[in-house]
Amino acid sequence: MKKMGKVSAILSILLFAAVALTGNLFAADTIKFGVAGAHSGDLASYGLPSVKAAELVVKKVNANGGILGKQVELLVEDDVCKPEVAGNTATKLVSDGVNVVLGHICSGATKAALGFYKDAGIVVMSPSATTPDLTLSGDYPNFFRTIAHDAVQAQLQVKYATQVLKVKKIAILHDKGDYGKGQAELAQKYFTEAGVEVALFEGVTPGAMDYSAIVTKLSRTKPDLVIWGGYHPEASKIVAQMRKKRMKTAFMGGDGVKDNTFIKVAGKYAEGVYATGPMDISSNPLAIQAKKEHQDAYGSDPGAFFDAAYSATLALLNAIEKAGSTDYDAIVKVLHTDLVDTPLGKIKFDEHGDATGIGFSVYKVENGKFVEQK
Amino acid sequence: MDFDYFMQLFLGGLTRGSIYALIALGYTMVYGIIQLINFAHGEIYMIGAFTGLIVSSVLTMAGMPTLGVVIMAAMAAVIYSSAYGYTMEKIAYKPLRNAPRLSALISAIGMSLFLQNYVLLAQTSDFLPFPSLIPDFDFWEPYAHLISSPELVILATTFVVMMLLTVLIKFTRIGKAMRATSQDKIMAALLGINVDRIISVTFVVGSATAAIGGLLIASHIGQINFYMGFIAGIKAFVAAVLGGIGSIPGAVLGSFVLGWTESFFTGYISSDYEDVFAFIILVVILIFRPSGILGKSETQKV
């Protein structure tokens, strides 16, 4: 019995050594590309397209001989978009020795995971986490993203309103929800900074029977522009009531309004309404090609954030190649300075880590369609 | 300028109150007769709007002139919603007539959820555009911004419906029977009144006014969805309680008070707390007049 114990102990030590040895052996041979995000649960539809995007890019890269003479190995870890799981996911990826990470998907989970990567000196790039603080706070120099953050929309609205529409006084309404109120507060902040007077800032009740009282109040403050934070059903009600009250004031919403249902529901009252929304990339040849690759490999159209994830994968692999190593500082330097051609256009990253050259456009409803304003 | 602003808010509140009133009538009449709070009443209003949409779309496509579309849509909405109200009473409330009152209340909540989900599945969860059935005329200045033609039509229709209802209840045989039933069901039955029929009539009349309300507001606002009856129903219920549930003038007065409260509160203070204050008013009134503004005070358990 005693002898058996000794033998098994020796055996297990040998086994352990063997595993560790092979681990080291492979580690030297591949570039480990982590993919983290929601791959199961109710938000899986946001995370899985990123996995597919990474698979498609990596397959192509490997077929062409890999990067720096090494094959790229994908390490896919699920965080279910839960901050409490994301920490473990990050720890797992770090201990597996990833070189870079694509992810995470949800802002909350991303924030929870970023600290772990920062301590380990690993570059992280998210295709979908839009909370402004992730980059703007400066707490995470290792974090990059290929999607514009929420404040970009507000900044764009301010830029368009002050430069093109030349507004002096605005009114801001929102739907009191997280999304709508968040947008409205960002708009208020940037408009005030731009020297525009915010004459009214109020929340309305979504689903209320009508908005005649708030529209009356709007018309009394005589704004040059009404900014709406929220979704399209309330927006169409408010716009319709404004027009019926003979208010010709311009109206501008965010990506919650840039939805064809808005035009369908608001009908003729939608004419002339401004909305900011993601830039139209459907004519970019790389975007068309990426979509076709997905179509060929999986037989379906790509899902949410696919283009952003595809671009992020390209940007990360390009950075490793240009840097000539997987060294953290070298990769970060390339990301900041080198333009890379992606489905989102030619992008690099600004000092905060946000991709430049992508983002939102202002659209205006003209003849029943959203038309991009140049 | 300030009087002008006041008038705009006043008329806006009156319009909103009119719609509340059209719904609240159903709550108050049903409560008056069988002491049931019919929580599915908001859904009847929603079904009225949906029927109006379907009928008016089909007729417009068939090339009928606007006036014809309006009349046919209104009739269809009234008939269809009344049929729903009638059926609802027969399946969900009649079998529970002698059960504890709580059972009927739960049945009403179940009915409300059922109808919402039924319309959700049968139609769509999306917001649907609703055609403007009432043409938007330009009034001459300085009145153009005060009130629009659809709002005027809403006010006028509500007024006519109130008048007709008063005549129905005060001067017709069926109205007399309704009043008798609400006073004492057993005695009314002993005197030869068909109580079941009177209850059905009450549901039908209440559903018809709610359907008109749904149609009017949908045409004014221009959009409907399956959930529109929920908040409107709750608000109308509050208005009915505010005015004194069971009392018909009370429901109308309560609706106007609620409409004005919301409108003035938004106009002079902030719309952020519109609902908060609407409900604070309710609580305050109920503390000082537990039976509502025009309600008779009698203690009853719900």
Side-chain angles (χ1 to χ4, degrees):
Chain A
M1 200 62 202
K2 212 177 174 187
K3 212 172 182 182
M4 277 285 281
K6 256 186 194 165
V7 170
S8 68
I10 290 166
L11 266 178
S12 57
I13 287 167
L14 277 176
L15 206 69
F16 193 78
V19 169
L21 218 66
T22 47
N24 280 337
L25 224 65
F26 280 121
D29 267 342
T30 60
I31 288 178
K32 294 193 173 181
F33 190 93
V35 181
H39 307 140
S40 64
D42 53 347
L43 297 173
S45 62
Y46 288 136
L48 289 173
S50 294
V51 179
K52 290 182 176 160
E55 278 172 2
L56 288 172
V57 175
V58 165
K59 204 166 81 188
K60 257 199 328 193
V61 166
N62 284 342
N64 291 335
I67 286 177
L68 309 177
K70 296 175 189 171
Q71 292 282 296
V72 179
E73 183 193 355
L74 280 182
L75 299 172
V76 180
E77 283 293 332
D78 188 6
D79 71 4
V80 216
C81 262
K82 290 190 173 137
E84 66 269 25
V85 181
N88 291 340
T89 310
T91 316
K92 175 86 170 28
L93 285 172
V94 169
S95 63
D96 283 347
V98 285
N99 300 116
V100 288
V101 173
L102 169 69
H104 296 215
I105 299 298
C106 300
S107 292
T110 309
K111 191 162 190 191
L114 274 178
F116 296 94
Y117 298 120
K118 187 179 160 191
D119 294 342
I122 292 167
V123 168
V124 182
M125 192 179 287
S126 170
S128 59
T130 55
T131 300
D133 272 355
L134 289 176
T135 50
L136 297 188
S137 66
D139 290 344
Y140 305 107
N142 61 326
F143 181 67
F144 298 82
R145 60 180 150 204
T146 50
I147 190 163
H149 59 73
D150 292 336
V152 170
Q153 249 184 110
Q155 285 160 342
L156 180 67
Q157 289 180 340
V158 173
K159 199 173 145 206
Y160 194 82
T162 50
Q163 292 177 6
V164 181
L165 304 176
K166 311 234 179 285
V167 301
K168 298 274 180 291
K169 185 157 112 180
I170 61 155
I172 302 177
L173 298 181
H174 60 83
D175 66 1
K176 302 186 205 170
D178 278 347
Y179 165 77
K181 195 172 183 193
Q183 262 189 350
E185 278 167 351
L186 287 167
Q188 186 186 29
K189 176 168 169 248
Y190 293 117
F191 269 107
T192 315
E193 281 170 15
V196 174
E197 181 193 349
V198 178
L200 185 70
F201 183 87
E202 269 188 33
V204 301
T205 311
M209 194 177 272
D210 74 340
Y211 292 116
S212 85
I214 191 75
V215 168
T216 304
K217 198 170 182 179
L218 268 183
S219 75
R220 186 157 93 143
T221 51
K222 291 197 174 35
D224 303 324
L225 173 71
V226 178
I227 296 279
W228 166 248
Y231 299 100
H232 61 81
E234 285 77 35
S236 55
K237 268 193 202 177
I238 292 172
V239 170
Q241 289 208 298
M242 276 167 63
R243 300 298 180 245
K244 283 185 181 169
K245 284 239 181 226
R246 317 280 167 241
M247 257 185 95
K248 293 185 179 70
T249 315
F251 187 94
M252 187 186 272
D255 53 348
V257 172
K258 209 231 142 219
D259 184 311
N260 287 328
T261 319
F262 171 73
I263 298 178
K264 202 179 92 190
V265 172
K268 64 177 178 184
Y269 301 113
E271 283 302 307
V273 167
Y274 297 96
T276 49
M279 237 175 218
D280 188 13
I281 55 156
S282 56
S283 60
N284 185 322
L286 273 173
I288 296 168
Q289 196 205 335
K291 192 177 168 189
K292 190 172 167 297
E293 280 171 24
H294 189 283
Q295 193 57 261
D296 293 345
Y298 304 103
S300 62
D301 273 350
F305 310 122
F306 175 79
D307 291 309
Y310 197 98
S311 305
T313 313
L314 285 176
L316 284 169
L317 293 178
N318 174 67
I320 295 173
E321 190 166 22
K322 290 269 172 63
S325 78
T326 51
D327 177 53
Y328 171 76
D329 293 323
I331 294 177
V332 168
K333 188 162 173 286
V334 175
L335 284 175
H336 282 308
T337 53
D338 253 45
L339 277 172
V340 54
D341 212 2
T342 70
L344 299 176
K346 279 190 187 308
I347 58 168
K348 62 176 186 170
F349 297 85
D350 65 12
E351 72 270 27
H352 302 296
D354 284 308
T356 57
I358 66 152
F360 292 92
S361 303
V362 177
Y363 295 82
K364 185 182 183 184
V365 182
E366 285 168 3
N367 300 320
K369 274 200 194 74
F370 280 110
V371 179
E372 198 168 344
Q373 303 289 301
K374 298 291 175 196
Chain B
M1 175 62 204
D2 263 331
F3 179 71
D4 189 83
Y5 185 58
F6 176 86
M7 273 314 284
Q8 284 189 54
L9 293 175
F10 179 84
L11 289 170
L14 196 65
T15 312
R16 194 188 264 214
S18 298
I19 302 291
Y20 287 156
L22 287 171
I23 312 172
L25 283 171
Y27 275 110
T28 218
M29 279 163 50
V30 165
Y31 186 85
I33 296 246
I34 52 171
Q35 279 79 48
L36 164 77
I37 291 162
N38 178 14
F39 273 118
H41 193 58
E43 271 57 61
I44 296 288
Y45 150 91
M46 176 264 296
I47 285 170
F50 266 91
T51 315
L53 175 66
I54 294 165
V55 171
S56 59
S57 311
V58 170
L59 291 181
T60 312
M61 259 195 285
M64 197 181 242
T66 317
L67 189 68
V69 172
V70 174
I71 292 169
M72 292 296 285
M75 275 170 61
V78 164
I79 292 168
Y80 205 68
S81 293
S82 300
Y84 261 90
Y86 179 85
T87 321
M88 185 163 77
E89 195 269 329
K90 286 283 178 271
I91 353 182
Y93 307 138
K94 191 164 173 241
L96 297 171
R97 186 113 357 115
N98 297 317
R101 206 174 284 165
L102 204 55
S103 310
L105 197 72
I106 291 165
S107 183
I109 293 171
M111 204 64 205
S112 162
L113 291 173
F114 167 76
L115 287 176
Q116 265 175 36
N117 286 284
Y118 168 70
V119 176
L120 164 69
L121 292 172
Q123 299 293 327
T124 162
S125 63
D126 283 349
F127 280 82
L128 296 169
F130 198 97
S132 282
L133 295 176
I134 308 152
D136 204 356
F137 290 118
D138 259 326
F139 289 107
W140 56 96
E141 283 298 343
Y143 304 106
H145 63 284
L146 278 183
I147 192 159
S148 61
S149 54
E151 284 170 317
L152 209 62
V153 170
I154 289 177
L155 293 180
T157 314
T158 311
F159 182 74
V160 170
V161 169
M162 303 295 158
M163 285 295 121
L164 287 178
L165 204 62
T166 314
V167 170
L168 175 81
I169 288 180
K170 283 243 162 92
F171 303 110
T172 61
R173 273 176 66 86
I174 197 118
K176 222 179 254 175
M178 280 165 90
R179 278 183 287 149
T181 312
S182 85
Q183 222 165 48
D184 191 336
K185 239 183 310 188
I186 298 167
M187 196 62 202
L190 288 175
L191 290 173
I193 292 172
N194 185 345
V195 173
D196 279 340
R197 199 171 133 252
I198 295 302
I199 293 173
S200 293
V201 167
T202 311
F203 268 87
V204 166
V205 172
S207 302
T209 62
I212 292 172
L215 198 69
L216 285 173
I217 196 73
S219 152
H220 180 43
I221 298 301
Q223 58 170 275
I224 59 175
N225 87 330
F226 75 99
Y227 200 59
M228 67 184 276
F230 182 73
I231 291 182
I234 294 275
K235 287 283 176 67
F237 168 63
V238 168
V241 173
L242 200 61
I245 194 146
S247 148
I248 289 178
V252 178
L253 183 65
S255 300
F256 288 153
V257 167
L258 188 66
W260 282 323
T261 309
E262 291 180 346
S263 193
F264 287 128
F265 199 83
T266 300
Y268 286 112
I269 305 172
S270 164
S271 67
D272 280 318
Y273 298 94
E274 179 194 272
D275 287 348
V276 176
F277 272 78
F279 286 93
I280 286 180
I281 295 271
L282 176 75
V283 171
V284 169
I285 287 190
L286 290 187
I287 287 172
F288 293 104
R289 275 196 69 89
S291 54
I293 302 171
L294 295 184
K296 288 187 229 61
S297 53
E298 52 182 316
T299 350
Q300 273 190 341
K301 283 185 196 161
V302 177

